[in-house]
Amino acid sequence: MSIIERVAELLGPIARPNPKSSAPGEVDSNSVLDLIERAAGQSNERSKFPEVGKFAAQPVARGLVVGAKGEARPARPAGTTAQTLRIDRDRLRRQSIITPDDKRTPMTESFRRIKRHILVNMAEPKAGVPANVVMVTSALPGEGKTFCSINLAISIALEMDYSVLLVDADVAKPAIPKVLGLEEDKKGLMDLLLDRRIELADVLCKTDIGKLTLLPAGMVHQHATELLASGAMRELLREMGERYHDRIIVFDSPPLLAASETAVLASQMGQIIIVVEAGNASEAALKDALSRIEPSKIAGVVLNKGEGSALEYGYGGYGYGAK
């Protein structure tokens, strides 16, 4: 199935927050979809696709628990999440982020469709692939990946049979705390990678939204790039993916062309969502980004920041049309 077919199956247009309305705008997406199709066609030649081991840098920061030959560290003992964060629903609405009490809207339905496809892939996983570990990324900064990561995570948190862990993995420029109105100095992913005495449960932040839990980016560290590409990170991903089979882990990851470690993370993900800024997508940038990830892992492409008239959702099929 081509990426264009995935887009048609999964997505209606999804827009960046609009100060006058929380509904997505209509996107004239034909040119963007053509761009994606051309770029995807170029990226399907994988004879030179690097293996994970060739990407990964050796840990250089003190405190990493990785053996000389890359042995897996002992699994962290299970614990309980101590912190519970209250998230301001009005703040979310002002940014066009869905909330648990939202009515059926084009925005909520768009993310439901993405979510359903992810759940289907989880029900039919590939051997050795953690289908419950999902990356949301983009080619370049500013395309709306954090906006889409948060909306997707909240949509999943409303499921009856699944919980969700939203990981702020864009450690150089973490944006999730600012969007949600939370403190930005909490321990998180970086602390977990640097100090083996810290348990995963010690840095998780439970929220008052359904089954949504957060893993903050954590401390600023000069070797953040090496840490995300390290054996410790690979082991943590394995641990998170295998410990709770009913939990979906959503990674708000660095843009593919802005951080080399994103390609390493992508190689260890079960599913990948690509966010493309409608109207400003560069064919060269998108082609370059797609060449760094495995096509079979792409679960969907989100066209973000569309402008125009509002869209309406129609019953009798997932049809979108201009009001």
Side-chain angles (χ1 to χ4, degrees), residues 36-45:
I36 295 171
E37 182 70 15
R38 292 195 300 273
Q42 293 291 329
S43 70
N44 281 336
E45 299 180 2

Side-chain angles (χ1 to χ4, degrees), residues 290-322:
L290 291 172
S291 72
R292 304 184 185 205
I293 58 179
E294 184 60 46
S296 64
K297 293 186 177 184
I298 299 176
V301 178
V302 176
L303 302 180
N304 193 38
K305 296 189 183 180
E307 297 180 357
S309 58
L311 300 175
E312 63 182 355
Y313 171 76
Y315 290 95
Y318 293 91
Y320 291 86

